[in-house]
Amino acid sequence: MSTPTLEKQDQAPEPADATAAHTITVTFRIRRFNPEVAAESYWEDFQLDIDPKERVLDGLHKIKWDHDGTLTFRRSCAHGICGSDAMRINGRNRLACKTLIKDINPEKPITVEAIKGLTVLKDLVVDMDPFFQAYRDVMPFLITTGNEPTRERLQTAEDRERFDDTTKCILCAACTSSCPVFWNDGQYFGPAAIVNAHRFIFDSRDEGGEQRLEILNDRDGVWRCRTTFNCTDACPRGIEVTKAIQEVKRALITRRF
Amino acid sequence: MSAETTTPANDAVSAYDVDHPAPVIEAPRARTRKTPKTTRTNFEMYGWLFMRLSGIVLVVLVLGHLLIQLVLDGGVTKIGFAFVAGRWASPFWQAWDLIMLWLATLHGANGLRTIINDYAERDNTRLWLKGLLYTAAGFTIVLGTLVIFTFDPNIR
Ligand code: HEM
Ligand code: SF4
Ligand code: FES
């Protein structure tokens, strides 16, 4: 599991009277921002009776459906596939749909805010354009020369294994928006773009590796990485993001020497 | 944007509405289509390598330097004109100090360049801070080198 979470172990015997004995009261402390109302953001508390085995996303749904319909956030698949609902939960970037309430100490208020380093548009929704611009800039598609083969481009199991880890990315931006270099200067490509470049640089079928390395060799490329490991900690897919960045650095150095 | 306590701000009559939304605060130096494209040099790679290689050498040079100057043979009280003059009579210590001066200054300056790139948002601020940094580093290297090579123990 990629995001270590605090386990609550004291499962004290509950009084067996109430029908809803399995629910607990949890405070959701959400950072709200609406540019049509105020220039400042503010924290708003919501009290919910909720099963601790539910996810933070379920809590957000409850709030939006039963308490305050203006709460704005992104989600699509609700099952950790689409990468829409990365947010900062208790100060760490996670997917709301993969974070169980019981795992993040529901005794204390659960803080939920937008991911950092990207412009907040409303509540938990940020402008993802700069993130996807960096992604597009590393050319995340197969580049080949010569005639197209009449059948699949074959590859050995070992060749496939080489970049297996970085194929798992769902472009949620949890890594990039956990990176202190990116917080301070959004022109850094950021971990997610490097992960997706890695996926093609180390693919034996791809011939655009040189171009991608050249792009990442520049001012805003891999050399800005300071190895803080925030990205690896943040990735909900368990991708070893920092390792992938180091492998690109190594490829750049061995290319020269 | 700053976040205050838990009270909603929208109970008062708001100055903002659909037609006059508050200006959203842009993330610093957002990546756009206009972000400069690659320069095709290896400068950043050599800078990164230099930090690591000079760091390895500096471990020996700086720790050795601190040990000799501050710990061994009576510690800091022994340092005086005669002590410095005695050491710089030997080309070995001249070379030690010269290499340490160059590596530490270049290493420190490159490290600060990284930090300026990280934290100075406006291009003009970056320009001036880096100008100041390079001037200071250049001055330190020139002055230090001059002293090591022209040091005269018989000065009076
Ligand atoms: C004692 C041996 C030293 C070692 C092993 C060492 C190693 C390093 C390394 C590897 C980095 C790069 C960090 C990164 O890219 O994330 C670095 C950064 C830096 N070093 Fe050193 N260094 C040493 C001594 C010094 C000295 C003597 C100075 C001051 C003159 C200095 C000033 C800096 C600065 C300002 C940075 C930038 C910090 C940052 O990137 O956040 N270092 N050092
Ligand atoms: S590498 Fe992980 S954290 Fe980063 S965008 Fe991909 S899935 Fe999200
Ligand atoms: S909603 Fe799709 S990843 Fe969470």
Side-chain angles (χ1 to χ4, degrees), chain A residues 62-73:
Chain A
K62 246 180 172 359
I63 295 169
K64 186 168 178 71
W65 295 337
D66 302 341
H67 296 260
D68 183 351
T70 67
L71 180 66
T72 307
F73 56 91

Side-chain angles (χ1 to χ4, degrees), chain A residues 225-227, chain B residues 48 51-52 55-56 58-59 62 104 107-108 111-112 114-115:
Chain A
C225 165
R226 312 278 269 290
T227 333
Chain B
W48 185 90
M51 289 310 269
R52 270 130 260 266
I56 294 169
L58 279 170
V59 170
V62 172
H107 178 103
L112 285 177
T114 312
I115 292 172

Side-chain angles (χ1 to χ4, degrees), chain B residues 27-39:
Chain B
R29 308 186 76 233
R31 181 172 200 90
T32 62
R33 269 161 225 283
K34 277 180 259 150
T35 298
K37 287 280 140 39
T38 149
T39 53

Side-chain angles (χ1 to χ4, degrees), chain B residues 2-3 16-17 19 27 33 36 40 42-43 45 47 49 59 70 75 80 82 85-86 89 108 110 113 118 126 139 153:
Chain B
S2 76
Y16 305 106
D17 60 30
D19 299 318
R33 269 161 225 283
R40 303 189 67 85
N42 287 313
F43 182 76
M45 181 183 83
L49 267 177
V59 170
L70 306 179
N110 191 233
R113 182 184 73 91
D118 278 352
R126 290 174 169 228
F139 180 75

